[in-house]
Amino acid sequence: FSAFAKMLLHIYNQKYPKNIKLVDEQQEWKIESCAEKTVKDLHLSHRVKPSEVLSIVGMCQAKGIHPSRLNDPLDPFSADIPDETKKIYELFCKKQKAENLFTKNELVVEALELLRSDYKALSAVRSWYDQIMVDEYQDTDPAQEAILELICGCEQGYLTHVVSPQKTNKPTLMV
């Protein structure tokens, strides 16, 4: 999904540099540094650890929550997030962008936001594919699922997918 997201952002989103480089394992310390700065700037060091900031970020990104939608009462994923968690996520994302750091999950969230907000981009992407098959569908997160649902033009619950029954705890219908 991150390769697809990166391509989509290259084509349709001028905010991202053409030479997006993803943070690799040797650069993880830069992401951790953003988490530390977030804790410090919000004066949370007495109760929140940088690792908890990273957990909050991961949870928000997995749900497909874009920082710009944190206070959107119509966004089903961000509506029940506590205010402090929203502040942590929003500030972390600002710091990450200021450092020009891009993670795979961030690219997926940005691509999802692009497809949600730019109908021309969504229409174009829909025209690229006759069929979409996702291997290891059980490993997708809600953000990736939302991208597929947008591209397929279907409402939640109408996307057919195949999973490996040995690799999922979800009920599987074998026909």
Side-chain angles (χ1 to χ4, degrees):
F1 273 92
S2 61
F4 170 78
K6 185 176 179 181
M7 177 194 64
L8 194 61
L9 293 171
H10 277 296
I11 295 171
Y12 292 102
N13 195 331
Q14 301 303 314
K15 293 188 304 185
Y16 282 86
K18 295 293 181 197
N19 60 344
I20 293 174
K21 291 190 178 163
L22 296 176
V23 173
D24 61 23
E25 288 179 15
Q26 288 137 4
Q27 298 171 322
E28 280 295 315
W29 65 270
K30 293 179 180 180
I31 297 293
E32 291 165 5
S33 175
C34 287
E36 290 168 4
K37 291 174 185 175
T38 299
V39 168
K40 182 180 176 190
D41 289 359
L42 291 175
H43 308 289
L44 299 172
S45 57
H46 61 285
R47 346 180 247 124
V48 178
K49 297 177 185 170
S51 60
E52 293 171 305
V53 170
L54 296 175
S55 293
I56 288 168
V57 170
M59 179 266 309
C60 289
Q61 289 178 339
K63 288 183 173 184
I65 300 170
H66 191 270
S68 67
R69 291 184 183 260
L70 281 172
N71 296 309
D72 181 351
L74 300 177
D75 189 301
F77 294 117
S78 64
D80 59 348
I81 295 178
D83 288 340
E84 184 176 84
T85 300
K86 290 177 182 181
K87 287 178 187 175
I88 290 170
Y89 180 52
E90 188 171 36
L91 183 58
F92 176 88
C93 290
K94 285 179 184 176
K95 291 191 174 302
Q96 184 180 354
K97 281 197 169 103
E99 296 288 329
N100 208 24
L101 300 173
F102 301 96
T103 64
K104 291 178 180 181
N105 290 341
E106 180 194 7
L107 292 180
V108 170
V109 170
E110 290 294 334
L112 175 58
E113 183 60 22
L114 174 67
L115 293 173
R116 284 176 171 164
S117 62
D118 185 338
Y119 188 75
K120 286 183 181 181
L122 177 59
S123 295
V125 172
R126 284 179 174 168
S127 73
W128 295 349
Y129 304 101
D130 290 328
Q131 294 181 349
I132 297 176
M133 185 173 95
V134 180
D135 191 21
E136 303 293 339
Y137 193 90
Q138 70 275 3
D139 296 334
T140 59
D141 61 34
Q144 296 165 341
E145 246 182 283
I147 287 175
L148 288 169
E149 290 168 356
L150 282 168
I151 293 171
C152 293
C154 53
E155 296 299 319
Q156 192 169 12
Y158 293 100
L159 180 64
T160 303
H161 54 277
V162 178
V163 299
S164 300
Q166 299 85 0
K167 295 183 180 180
T168 184
N169 58 2
K170 298 176 185 174
T172 305
L173 174 63
M174 299 297 287
V175 183

